[in-house]
Every structure is written in C-alpha cells, then in structure tokens.
Amino acid sequence: TVLDAHDKVLFPGMVEAASSGSMDLANENIPLVPFISVRESINPTASYFEDLLRNGITTVQIIQGTETIIGGYGAILKPTGNTLESMLRKEPGMMRISLGADSRHSRIRKMATLRQTFQETLIYRETLQSKENLEISTVLSPHLYLESADPVKQPLIDLIEGRLIALIHCPEPGDCFRALELAKTFQFKPILQLGPRAFLAADLLKQAGVSILLDSEISLQEDFKGQGDLETVILPLIYHQKGIPFCLSSRGRRFLWYQAGLALQGGLPREEALKSITLYPAQILGLEKEIGSLIEGKSADFVILSGDPLDIRTWVEEVWIEGKKVYSRKEDIRLKHFSGEPSQNTVSTETPKKTEK
C-alpha cells in the first residue's frame, strides 16, 4: 500500500505509559491486591479508546489508580479491536504500588505494610523452594508433593524475581527515597511516577539510575528561599538537565502532544519533547524494539498529521496500527456529529416536501 501524504506530517504513534481510562473503577477498597489484573475491569467498547485514536495515541498501559498500597498489575493495549484479546500488546504490564498518603492510609502505615508483605513473600518463597528441593532429592517420601505457588503471592514473587516491574507512585520527594530503599531491600526493578514536588529529589533519582513518569503537571511555583518569592520550575527541563530518562503523561489533560508543547515552551529541546511522548514511554514499557519511532523493522504504528505535531492548530488525519488503518478523521462519525458536519450515516429528520408534476 502506498499512501500519498506529501503535504502532511508522518509521526510515530504516541504512547501513554499509564492511564486508568476505560476501567469501571480505578481503585480497589482492599489495600493489598497484587493478584488482580485490569483485564477484568477494561471495557473494550469504551469511547475512551476512540479518543486515544483521535489524539494519535497507538499504545496505552491501563493500570490501577493510586488509592491502594499494592494495586495489581496492568495491561498494555492497542486502542483498537472488539475484544480485550485483540487489543493486547503486552500482558502483564507493571505492578502498581503507591506510597503517597490517601484518605485511608498514612505513609507510615503504607511503608510498614509493604515491608511486612514483601518480607512474608520472601519467607514463603524460601519455604516453597525448600519443599521443591526436598521433593526432587528424595524418593522415599511419597507424601511429599511439588507445591505450586499461591496465586495471591505469585505476582509478588514474579516482581522479586524480575518478571514484573513496579510502577511506584511518589507524590513527594521523601517518597522517592522510600521507593528506592524498598526496591533495593527486596531487589526489584522500579519505575517512579512522580508528583510535581518530587523534582527536589532529582539528584537522588539520577544517582539511582531510574526512569520516571511525570504526572500531568508540567510546571509549578516554588519558594526556594522561604521569603515568599516564587520561582517557576519547568519539571521536564529539570530532569532533562540531570540526564534522567522520563516520559510525559496526559493524566487528566487528555492531550499528550499538548504536554509536549508545554515542555517545549518551557525550554525543553524539541527533539526531547517529541521523544517524551513516543520513544521514551516505549522504553519504559519495554517495547522500544517494536514501537516509539519510525524505523524499518518496527511495528507500523504511525499517525498522519495535518501539520507540526506540537502546533495547537494541527489535527490527526489518520492512525495506522501494525500497518492497518484504524482511524480516519474523514470517517469519524462522532466528530462530525459534534462539529455539525454532514455525514453519510446521518439520518434526515426533515419531512419530505411534495413535488409538483
């Protein structure tokens, strides 16, 4: 197939690294649910996925919200398909862990619960391994059997053994220290999802060599001298200058390209702004060999734009995923309805006029 887009802009499909869109309930009431998966909560027919295509997003990780302590693991999807199975790009995704205080849990309680839970998991794993080794080494004890792991504890074992990555929500600078300490103690790999003020721990994050996912707040006002003089801090620029890998999220803002545009306006180099919504989130999700840039051999996920991807006047003309066209602005019935444009599928409500012979 040859596309004539000589007067358009070809751009990699954008990647949303963490979202709770399309879920019937983003947070669980139980504080520890490492065994649950978002697949039971996702509605494949939700209009949320239509919006992703309209905005040029071709990959998204759906994951639980931040109101639980351990909130289960997510799934990485393509926003097109009639069933969850046809939408799946990678499962499981990351495991959600949250350190910030909420209406039900203080930071102290969360950390104590996490340490106890991981310690119990280590003890359980050692006990399980001892039973398995004893089963293999003996032929004189028929009452012994090879026990499979408890499905409730298996996801945490997978995390400790490196088969899962933790996405840890850290609203404040101190949460970053606690997250890194927890990951080091129990030897699992973390990705940190940061609140605005967590930039104060940037040097610590640089030293730890972790990747980060920013919340939707691009800038904030900070009184560094404590004298009431507020200074504007451009968060993506801070992390870029420190050399910390990061990606942007639309979380509540809806438009990834708009977040990148704000970062560009704040001084972030253009190439970095574009990568922060394409290649860098693909790297964080472990999919950089498949998506995130336009390179031969990768999945044919791209969007055709009317102009510059960071220009507010630009819109998405078409979206292609794995070499198939999955969205066209010209064929977007819902968009035409809201804009008042006529559509071939629009049924006229006017009474036909009589004609004279």
mmCIF file of all heavy atoms in Angstrom, residues 16-27 38-52 57 60-66 74-79 84 87 96 193 250-252 254:
data_model
loop_
_atom_site.group_PDB
_atom_site.id
_atom_site.type_symbol
_atom_site.label_atom_id
_atom_site.label_comp_id
_atom_site.label_asym_id
_atom_site.label_seq_id
_atom_site.Cartn_x
_atom_site.Cartn_y
_atom_site.Cartn_z
ATOM 1 N N GLU A 16 1.056 6.293 25.725
ATOM 2 C CA GLU A 16 0.630 6.694 27.069
ATOM 3 C C GLU A 16 1.053 5.598 28.038
ATOM 4 O O GLU A 16 0.545 4.477 28.006
ATOM 5 C CB GLU A 16 -0.892 6.867 27.104
ATOM 6 C CG GLU A 16 -1.457 7.330 28.433
ATOM 7 C CD GLU A 16 -1.258 8.816 28.682
ATOM 8 O OE1 GLU A 16 -2.071 9.617 28.198
ATOM 9 O OE2 GLU A 16 -0.268 9.164 29.359
ATOM 10 N N ALA A 17 2.010 5.911 28.920
ATOM 11 C CA ALA A 17 2.629 4.870 29.751
ATOM 12 C C ALA A 17 1.783 4.422 30.928
ATOM 13 O O ALA A 17 1.986 3.325 31.454
ATOM 14 C CB ALA A 17 3.989 5.342 30.256
ATOM 15 N N ALA A 18 0.818 5.227 31.359
ATOM 16 C CA ALA A 18 -0.021 4.835 32.497
ATOM 17 C C ALA A 18 -1.321 5.618 32.466
ATOM 18 O O ALA A 18 -1.320 6.849 32.449
ATOM 19 C CB ALA A 18 0.698 5.073 33.818
ATOM 20 N N SER A 19 -2.430 4.889 32.483
ATOM 21 C CA SER A 19 -3.752 5.513 32.472
ATOM 22 C C SER A 19 -4.746 4.553 33.114
ATOM 23 O O SER A 19 -4.560 3.335 33.080
ATOM 24 C CB SER A 19 -4.194 5.830 31.044
ATOM 25 O OG SER A 19 -5.546 6.245 31.005
ATOM 26 N N SER A 20 -5.799 5.111 33.710
ATOM 27 C CA SER A 20 -6.872 4.289 34.264
ATOM 28 C C SER A 20 -8.142 4.411 33.427
ATOM 29 O O SER A 20 -9.218 4.007 33.856
ATOM 30 C CB SER A 20 -7.166 4.701 35.716
ATOM 31 O OG SER A 20 -6.041 4.470 36.537
ATOM 32 N N GLY A 21 -8.019 4.976 32.229
ATOM 33 C CA GLY A 21 -9.174 5.124 31.358
ATOM 34 C C GLY A 21 -9.793 3.794 30.983
ATOM 35 O O GLY A 21 -9.095 2.782 30.898
ATOM 36 N N SER A 22 -11.076 3.784 30.780
ATOM 37 C CA SER A 22 -11.892 2.631 30.368
ATOM 38 C C SER A 22 -12.199 1.666 31.501
ATOM 39 O O SER A 22 -12.984 0.738 31.324
ATOM 40 C CB SER A 22 -11.228 1.844 29.225
ATOM 41 O OG SER A 22 -10.216 0.957 29.692
ATOM 42 N N MET A 23 -11.597 1.850 32.682
ATOM 43 C CA MET A 23 -11.888 0.958 33.810
ATOM 44 C C MET A 23 -13.188 1.380 34.484
ATOM 45 O O MET A 23 -13.488 2.571 34.581
ATOM 46 C CB MET A 23 -10.749 0.989 34.822
ATOM 47 C CG MET A 23 -9.430 0.450 34.306
ATOM 48 S SD MET A 23 -8.123 0.547 35.550
ATOM 49 C CE MET A 23 -8.770 -0.584 36.800
ATOM 50 N N ASP A 24 -13.962 0.396 34.959
ATOM 51 C CA ASP A 24 -15.199 0.751 35.652
ATOM 52 C C ASP A 24 -14.924 1.333 37.033
ATOM 53 O O ASP A 24 -15.705 2.115 37.567
ATOM 54 C CB ASP A 24 -16.131 -0.467 35.764
ATOM 55 C CG ASP A 24 -15.479 -1.637 36.481
ATOM 56 O OD1 ASP A 24 -14.306 -1.530 36.845
ATOM 57 O OD2 ASP A 24 -16.161 -2.664 36.667
ATOM 58 N N LEU A 25 -13.792 0.968 37.630
ATOM 59 C CA LEU A 25 -13.394 1.521 38.926
ATOM 60 C C LEU A 25 -11.871 1.488 38.993
ATOM 61 O O LEU A 25 -11.261 0.417 38.912
ATOM 62 C CB LEU A 25 -13.998 0.705 40.076
ATOM 63 C CG LEU A 25 -13.857 1.294 41.477
ATOM 64 C CD1 LEU A 25 -14.619 2.613 41.589
ATOM 65 C CD2 LEU A 25 -14.377 0.306 42.524
ATOM 66 N N ALA A 26 -11.252 2.648 39.149
ATOM 67 C CA ALA A 26 -9.791 2.720 39.068
ATOM 68 C C ALA A 26 -9.098 2.201 40.319
ATOM 69 O O ALA A 26 -7.965 1.735 40.255
ATOM 70 C CB ALA A 26 -9.360 4.162 38.804
ATOM 71 N N ASN A 27 -9.763 2.274 41.478
ATOM 72 C CA ASN A 27 -9.129 1.895 42.736
ATOM 73 C C ASN A 27 -9.944 0.824 43.456
ATOM 74 O O ASN A 27 -11.177 0.810 43.389
ATOM 75 C CB ASN A 27 -8.983 3.114 43.655
ATOM 76 C CG ASN A 27 -8.031 4.144 43.092
ATOM 77 O OD1 ASN A 27 -6.834 3.956 43.086
ATOM 78 N ND2 ASN A 27 -8.581 5.245 42.606
ATOM 79 N N VAL A 38 -6.096 -5.684 35.520
ATOM 80 C CA VAL A 38 -7.068 -4.748 34.968
ATOM 81 C C VAL A 38 -7.921 -5.382 33.871
ATOM 82 O O VAL A 38 -8.956 -4.827 33.509
ATOM 83 C CB VAL A 38 -6.373 -3.498 34.392
ATOM 84 C CG1 VAL A 38 -5.711 -2.687 35.474
ATOM 85 C CG2 VAL A 38 -5.371 -3.878 33.319
ATOM 86 N N ARG A 39 -7.514 -6.545 33.365
ATOM 87 C CA ARG A 39 -8.256 -7.156 32.261
ATOM 88 C C ARG A 39 -9.716 -7.411 32.642
ATOM 89 O O ARG A 39 -10.580 -7.431 31.785
ATOM 90 C CB ARG A 39 -7.592 -8.441 31.788
ATOM 91 C CG ARG A 39 -7.607 -9.575 32.747
ATOM 92 C CD ARG A 39 -7.459 -10.934 32.086
ATOM 93 N NE ARG A 39 -6.510 -11.013 31.018
ATOM 94 C CZ ARG A 39 -6.839 -11.428 29.785
ATOM 95 N NH1 ARG A 39 -8.088 -11.767 29.511
ATOM 96 N NH2 ARG A 39 -5.922 -11.521 28.858
ATOM 97 N N GLU A 40 -9.987 -7.593 33.944
ATOM 98 C CA GLU A 40 -11.358 -7.839 34.378
ATOM 99 C C GLU A 40 -12.189 -6.555 34.440
ATOM 100 O O GLU A 40 -13.396 -6.613 34.611
ATOM 101 C CB GLU A 40 -11.364 -8.508 35.768
ATOM 102 C CG GLU A 40 -10.405 -9.675 35.927
ATOM 103 C CD GLU A 40 -10.699 -10.815 34.964
ATOM 104 O OE1 GLU A 40 -11.830 -10.891 34.467
ATOM 105 O OE2 GLU A 40 -9.791 -11.630 34.716
ATOM 106 N N SER A 41 -11.528 -5.418 34.322
ATOM 107 C CA SER A 41 -12.208 -4.137 34.500
ATOM 108 C C SER A 41 -12.286 -3.306 33.229
ATOM 109 O O SER A 41 -13.050 -2.340 33.168
ATOM 110 C CB SER A 41 -11.488 -3.332 35.590
ATOM 111 O OG SER A 41 -12.127 -2.116 35.837
ATOM 112 N N ILE A 42 -11.522 -3.681 32.204
ATOM 113 C CA ILE A 42 -11.466 -2.874 30.980
ATOM 114 C C ILE A 42 -12.694 -3.118 30.111
ATOM 115 O O ILE A 42 -13.104 -4.266 29.908
ATOM 116 C CB ILE A 42 -10.190 -3.216 30.185
ATOM 117 C CG1 ILE A 42 -8.954 -2.770 30.963
ATOM 118 C CG2 ILE A 42 -10.204 -2.539 28.814
ATOM 119 C CD1 ILE A 42 -7.643 -3.188 30.341
ATOM 120 N N ASN A 43 -13.252 -2.048 29.597
ATOM 121 C CA ASN A 43 -14.366 -2.127 28.655
ATOM 122 C C ASN A 43 -13.838 -1.828 27.252
ATOM 123 O O ASN A 43 -13.557 -0.669 26.927
ATOM 124 C CB ASN A 43 -15.450 -1.119 29.034
ATOM 125 C CG ASN A 43 -16.592 -1.098 28.032
ATOM 126 O OD1 ASN A 43 -16.699 -1.978 27.158
ATOM 127 N ND2 ASN A 43 -17.452 -0.103 28.141
ATOM 128 N N PRO A 44 -13.675 -2.858 26.410
ATOM 129 C CA PRO A 44 -13.077 -2.633 25.080
ATOM 130 C C PRO A 44 -13.875 -1.681 24.197
ATOM 131 O O PRO A 44 -13.326 -1.114 23.249
ATOM 132 C CB PRO A 44 -13.038 -4.042 24.472
ATOM 133 C CG PRO A 44 -13.129 -4.969 25.626
ATOM 134 C CD PRO A 44 -13.976 -4.262 26.638
ATOM 135 N N THR A 45 -15.170 -1.528 24.487
ATOM 136 C CA THR A 45 -16.013 -0.668 23.654
ATOM 137 C C THR A 45 -16.124 0.753 24.205
ATOM 138 O O THR A 45 -16.909 1.546 23.694
ATOM 139 C CB THR A 45 -17.415 -1.271 23.518
ATOM 140 O OG1 THR A 45 -18.039 -1.337 24.821
ATOM 141 C CG2 THR A 45 -17.355 -2.676 22.946
ATOM 142 N N ALA A 46 -15.358 1.075 25.239
ATOM 143 C CA ALA A 46 -15.436 2.404 25.848
ATOM 144 C C ALA A 46 -14.997 3.475 24.849
ATOM 145 O O ALA A 46 -14.083 3.274 24.051
ATOM 146 C CB ALA A 46 -14.562 2.468 27.102
ATOM 147 N N SER A 47 -15.666 4.626 24.898
ATOM 148 C CA SER A 47 -15.324 5.733 24.000
ATOM 149 C C SER A 47 -13.917 6.265 24.275
ATOM 150 O O SER A 47 -13.351 6.983 23.447
ATOM 151 C CB SER A 47 -16.343 6.868 24.143
ATOM 152 O OG SER A 47 -16.380 7.341 25.487
ATOM 153 N N TYR A 48 -13.374 5.911 25.424
ATOM 154 C CA TYR A 48 -12.005 6.321 25.777
ATOM 155 C C TYR A 48 -11.024 5.910 24.686
ATOM 156 O O TYR A 48 -10.115 6.675 24.338
ATOM 157 C CB TYR A 48 -11.620 5.685 27.111
ATOM 158 C CG TYR A 48 -10.151 5.787 27.456
ATOM 159 C CD1 TYR A 48 -9.614 6.985 27.901
ATOM 160 C CD2 TYR A 48 -9.309 4.680 27.347
ATOM 161 C CE1 TYR A 48 -8.268 7.083 28.221
ATOM 162 C CE2 TYR A 48 -7.963 4.775 27.665
ATOM 163 C CZ TYR A 48 -7.447 5.972 28.106
ATOM 164 O OH TYR A 48 -6.125 6.062 28.416
ATOM 165 N N PHE A 49 -11.186 4.711 24.144
ATOM 166 C CA PHE A 49 -10.252 4.232 23.121
ATOM 167 C C PHE A 49 -10.432 4.997 21.808
ATOM 168 O O PHE A 49 -9.470 5.210 21.073
ATOM 169 C CB PHE A 49 -10.435 2.731 22.910
ATOM 170 C CG PHE A 49 -10.044 1.921 24.112
ATOM 171 C CD1 PHE A 49 -10.995 1.184 24.814
ATOM 172 C CD2 PHE A 49 -8.736 1.912 24.555
ATOM 173 C CE1 PHE A 49 -10.632 0.446 25.927
ATOM 174 C CE2 PHE A 49 -8.365 1.176 25.672
ATOM 175 C CZ PHE A 49 -9.318 0.441 26.367
ATOM 176 N N GLU A 50 -11.664 5.437 21.511
ATOM 177 C CA GLU A 50 -11.875 6.297 20.346
ATOM 178 C C GLU A 50 -11.113 7.606 20.513
ATOM 179 O O GLU A 50 -10.482 8.109 19.572
ATOM 180 C CB GLU A 50 -13.362 6.597 20.174
ATOM 181 C CG GLU A 50 -14.211 5.404 19.772
ATOM 182 C CD GLU A 50 -15.664 5.820 19.557
ATOM 183 O OE1 GLU A 50 -15.914 7.035 19.368
ATOM 184 O OE2 GLU A 50 -16.535 4.941 19.587
ATOM 185 N N ASP A 51 -11.161 8.170 21.717
ATOM 186 C CA ASP A 51 -10.452 9.428 21.979
ATOM 187 C C ASP A 51 -8.944 9.260 21.820
ATOM 188 O O ASP A 51 -8.263 10.165 21.328
ATOM 189 C CB ASP A 51 -10.777 9.934 23.389
ATOM 190 C CG ASP A 51 -12.200 10.459 23.508
ATOM 191 O OD1 ASP A 51 -12.755 10.881 22.469
ATOM 192 O OD2 ASP A 51 -12.750 10.445 24.621
ATOM 193 N N LEU A 52 -8.422 8.113 22.246
ATOM 194 C CA LEU A 52 -6.993 7.877 22.083
ATOM 195 C C LEU A 52 -6.601 7.941 20.616
ATOM 196 O O LEU A 52 -5.592 8.558 20.248
ATOM 197 C CB LEU A 52 -6.611 6.512 22.668
ATOM 198 C CG LEU A 52 -6.672 6.354 24.188
ATOM 199 C CD1 LEU A 52 -6.191 4.954 24.584
ATOM 200 C CD2 LEU A 52 -5.858 7.409 24.912
ATOM 201 N N ILE A 57 -2.755 8.461 19.801
ATOM 202 C CA ILE A 57 -2.122 7.516 20.719
ATOM 203 C C ILE A 57 -2.384 6.097 20.229
ATOM 204 O O ILE A 57 -3.534 5.696 20.055
ATOM 205 C CB ILE A 57 -2.655 7.703 22.154
ATOM 206 C CG1 ILE A 57 -2.274 9.100 22.662
ATOM 207 C CG2 ILE A 57 -2.114 6.622 23.089
ATOM 208 C CD1 ILE A 57 -2.879 9.466 24.002
ATOM 209 N N VAL A 60 -1.208 2.175 24.939
ATOM 210 C CA VAL A 60 -1.518 2.685 26.269
ATOM 211 C C VAL A 60 -1.419 1.557 27.281
ATOM 212 O O VAL A 60 -1.784 0.415 26.994
ATOM 213 C CB VAL A 60 -2.945 3.309 26.301
ATOM 214 C CG1 VAL A 60 -4.000 2.286 25.913
ATOM 215 C CG2 VAL A 60 -3.253 3.902 27.670
ATOM 216 N N GLN A 61 -0.885 1.877 28.447
ATOM 217 C CA GLN A 61 -0.935 0.924 29.550
ATOM 218 C C GLN A 61 -2.094 1.311 30.466
ATOM 219 O O GLN A 61 -2.123 2.412 31.014
ATOM 220 C CB GLN A 61 0.359 0.895 30.375
ATOM 221 C CG GLN A 61 0.226 -0.062 31.566
ATOM 222 C CD GLN A 61 1.457 -0.169 32.440
ATOM 223 O OE1 GLN A 61 1.761 -1.226 32.970
ATOM 224 N NE2 GLN A 61 2.178 0.927 32.609
ATOM 225 N N ILE A 62 -3.051 0.407 30.620
ATOM 226 C CA ILE A 62 -4.133 0.594 31.579
ATOM 227 C C ILE A 62 -3.693 -0.034 32.886
ATOM 228 O O ILE A 62 -3.322 -1.218 32.927
ATOM 229 C CB ILE A 62 -5.446 -0.056 31.079
ATOM 230 C CG1 ILE A 62 -5.805 0.468 29.684
ATOM 231 C CG2 ILE A 62 -6.570 0.221 32.065
ATOM 232 C CD1 ILE A 62 -6.069 1.943 29.609
ATOM 233 N N ILE A 63 -3.722 0.752 33.956
ATOM 234 C CA ILE A 63 -3.244 0.269 35.246
ATOM 235 C C ILE A 63 -4.080 0.894 36.358
ATOM 236 O O ILE A 63 -4.674 1.964 36.174
ATOM 237 C CB ILE A 63 -1.741 0.600 35.425
ATOM 238 C CG1 ILE A 63 -1.132 -0.163 36.593
ATOM 239 C CG2 ILE A 63 -1.522 2.097 35.557
ATOM 240 C CD1 ILE A 63 0.386 -0.121 36.627
ATOM 241 N N GLN A 64 -4.134 0.238 37.513
ATOM 242 C CA GLN A 64 -4.944 0.726 38.621
ATOM 243 C C GLN A 64 -4.489 2.102 39.090
ATOM 244 O O GLN A 64 -3.358 2.527 38.833
ATOM 245 C CB GLN A 64 -4.853 -0.257 39.815
ATOM 246 C CG GLN A 64 -5.704 -1.495 39.666
ATOM 247 C CD GLN A 64 -5.009 -2.571 38.843
ATOM 248 O OE1 GLN A 64 -3.901 -2.379 38.369
ATOM 249 N NE2 GLN A 64 -5.659 -3.700 38.674
ATOM 250 N N GLY A 65 -5.391 2.763 39.827
ATOM 251 C CA GLY A 65 -5.094 4.072 40.378
ATOM 252 C C GLY A 65 -4.191 3.985 41.591
ATOM 253 O O GLY A 65 -3.644 2.922 41.911
ATOM 254 N N THR A 66 -4.052 5.077 42.305
ATOM 255 C CA THR A 66 -3.048 5.188 43.366
ATOM 256 C C THR A 66 -3.643 5.171 44.774
ATOM 257 O O THR A 66 -2.960 5.511 45.740
ATOM 258 C CB THR A 66 -2.243 6.479 43.176
ATOM 259 O OG1 THR A 66 -3.124 7.612 43.214
ATOM 260 C CG2 THR A 66 -1.515 6.470 41.846
ATOM 261 N N GLY A 74 -1.058 -4.075 35.419
ATOM 262 C CA GLY A 74 -1.769 -3.515 34.279
ATOM 263 C C GLY A 74 -1.625 -4.347 33.025
ATOM 264 O O GLY A 74 -1.052 -5.443 33.023
ATOM 265 N N ALA A 75 -2.169 -3.814 31.935
ATOM 266 C CA ALA A 75 -2.078 -4.435 30.618
ATOM 267 C C ALA A 75 -1.786 -3.346 29.601
ATOM 268 O O ALA A 75 -2.307 -2.232 29.695
ATOM 269 C CB ALA A 75 -3.379 -5.159 30.272
ATOM 270 N N ILE A 76 -0.943 -3.654 28.627
ATOM 271 C CA ILE A 76 -0.564 -2.697 27.594
ATOM 272 C C ILE A 76 -1.345 -3.034 26.328
ATOM 273 O O ILE A 76 -1.287 -4.163 25.836
ATOM 274 C CB ILE A 76 0.952 -2.754 27.341
ATOM 275 C CG1 ILE A 76 1.691 -2.464 28.658
ATOM 276 C CG2 ILE A 76 1.354 -1.738 26.280
ATOM 277 C CD1 ILE A 76 3.187 -2.677 28.586
ATOM 278 N N LEU A 77 -2.081 -2.048 25.828
ATOM 279 C CA LEU A 77 -3.060 -2.295 24.772
ATOM 280 C C LEU A 77 -2.826 -1.424 23.544
ATOM 281 O O LEU A 77 -2.235 -0.347 23.624
ATOM 282 C CB LEU A 77 -4.481 -2.012 25.290
ATOM 283 C CG LEU A 77 -4.937 -2.671 26.582
ATOM 284 C CD1 LEU A 77 -6.334 -2.189 26.924
ATOM 285 C CD2 LEU A 77 -4.897 -4.181 26.478
ATOM 286 N N LYS A 78 -3.355 -1.884 22.429
ATOM 287 C CA LYS A 78 -3.589 -1.064 21.246
ATOM 288 C C LYS A 78 -5.033 -0.584 21.355
ATOM 289 O O LYS A 78 -5.918 -1.384 21.652
ATOM 290 C CB LYS A 78 -3.415 -1.898 19.975
ATOM 291 C CG LYS A 78 -2.044 -2.524 19.799
ATOM 292 C CD LYS A 78 -2.047 -3.555 18.694
ATOM 293 C CE LYS A 78 -2.795 -4.826 19.125
ATOM 294 N NZ LYS A 78 -2.689 -5.915 18.122
ATOM 295 N N PRO A 79 -5.321 0.677 21.116
ATOM 296 C CA PRO A 79 -6.696 1.182 21.309
ATOM 297 C C PRO A 79 -7.618 0.848 20.138
ATOM 298 O O PRO A 79 -8.378 1.689 19.671
ATOM 299 C CB PRO A 79 -6.482 2.686 21.450
ATOM 300 C CG PRO A 79 -5.279 2.962 20.643
ATOM 301 C CD PRO A 79 -4.388 1.759 20.778
ATOM 302 N N LEU A 84 -10.757 -7.731 24.316
ATOM 303 C CA LEU A 84 -9.518 -7.421 25.006
ATOM 304 C C LEU A 84 -8.353 -8.197 24.401
ATOM 305 O O LEU A 84 -7.245 -7.665 24.262
ATOM 306 C CB LEU A 84 -9.652 -7.763 26.494
ATOM 307 C CG LEU A 84 -8.450 -7.421 27.366
ATOM 308 C CD1 LEU A 84 -8.205 -5.926 27.382
ATOM 309 C CD2 LEU A 84 -8.636 -7.955 28.763
ATOM 310 N N MET A 87 -6.872 -6.575 21.488
ATOM 311 C CA MET A 87 -6.241 -5.296 21.792
ATOM 312 C C MET A 87 -4.896 -5.447 22.512
ATOM 313 O O MET A 87 -4.086 -4.523 22.512
ATOM 314 C CB MET A 87 -7.175 -4.440 22.675
ATOM 315 C CG MET A 87 -8.515 -4.136 22.045
ATOM 316 S SD MET A 87 -9.664 -3.358 23.204
ATOM 317 C CE MET A 87 -8.959 -1.729 23.365
ATOM 318 N N ARG A 96 1.275 -1.963 40.158
ATOM 319 C CA ARG A 96 1.064 -0.663 40.797
ATOM 320 C C ARG A 96 1.371 -0.730 42.291
ATOM 321 O O ARG A 96 0.870 -1.587 43.014
ATOM 322 C CB ARG A 96 -0.385 -0.227 40.597
ATOM 323 C CG ARG A 96 -0.846 0.884 41.515
ATOM 324 C CD ARG A 96 -0.116 2.189 41.229
ATOM 325 N NE ARG A 96 -0.623 2.824 40.028
ATOM 326 C CZ ARG A 96 -0.023 3.856 39.445
ATOM 327 N NH1 ARG A 96 1.100 4.332 39.952
ATOM 328 N NH2 ARG A 96 -0.533 4.393 38.358
ATOM 329 N N GLN A 193 6.620 7.037 39.300
ATOM 330 C CA GLN A 193 5.654 8.001 38.789
ATOM 331 C C GLN A 193 5.614 9.156 39.779
ATOM 332 O O GLN A 193 5.190 8.995 40.920
ATOM 333 C CB GLN A 193 4.273 7.359 38.639
ATOM 334 C CG GLN A 193 3.233 8.290 38.045
ATOM 335 C CD GLN A 193 1.902 7.587 37.819
ATOM 336 O OE1 GLN A 193 1.742 6.406 38.136
ATOM 337 N NE2 GLN A 193 0.957 8.300 37.271
ATOM 338 N N SER A 250 -0.663 12.321 29.974
ATOM 339 C CA SER A 250 -1.752 13.293 29.819
ATOM 340 C C SER A 250 -2.672 13.282 31.022
ATOM 341 O O SER A 250 -3.449 14.188 31.205
ATOM 342 C CB SER A 250 -2.553 12.982 28.550
ATOM 343 O OG SER A 250 -3.136 11.703 28.633
ATOM 344 N N ARG A 251 -2.631 12.258 31.839
ATOM 345 C CA ARG A 251 -3.415 12.061 33.052
ATOM 346 C C ARG A 251 -4.324 13.232 33.430
ATOM 347 O O ARG A 251 -3.969 14.124 34.168
ATOM 348 C CB ARG A 251 -2.470 11.774 34.213
ATOM 349 C CG ARG A 251 -3.168 11.169 35.417
ATOM 350 C CD ARG A 251 -2.160 10.880 36.504
ATOM 351 N NE ARG A 251 -2.815 10.306 37.674
ATOM 352 C CZ ARG A 251 -2.290 10.301 38.875
ATOM 353 N NH1 ARG A 251 -1.112 10.824 39.080
ATOM 354 N NH2 ARG A 251 -2.944 9.745 39.872
ATOM 355 N N GLY A 252 -5.524 13.199 32.935
ATOM 356 C CA GLY A 252 -6.484 14.244 33.221
ATOM 357 C C GLY A 252 -6.415 15.421 32.268
ATOM 358 O O GLY A 252 -7.285 16.285 32.274
ATOM 359 N N ARG A 254 -5.648 14.899 28.806
ATOM 360 C CA ARG A 254 -6.167 14.309 27.572
ATOM 361 C C ARG A 254 -5.202 14.348 26.395
ATOM 362 O O ARG A 254 -5.138 13.410 25.634
ATOM 363 C CB ARG A 254 -7.495 14.961 27.172
ATOM 364 C CG ARG A 254 -8.183 14.238 26.030
ATOM 365 C CD ARG A 254 -9.525 14.840 25.756
ATOM 366 N NE ARG A 254 -10.108 14.294 24.547
ATOM 367 C CZ ARG A 254 -11.191 14.769 23.969
ATOM 368 N NH1 ARG A 254 -11.817 15.793 24.501
ATOM 369 N NH2 ARG A 254 -11.663 14.221 22.859
#
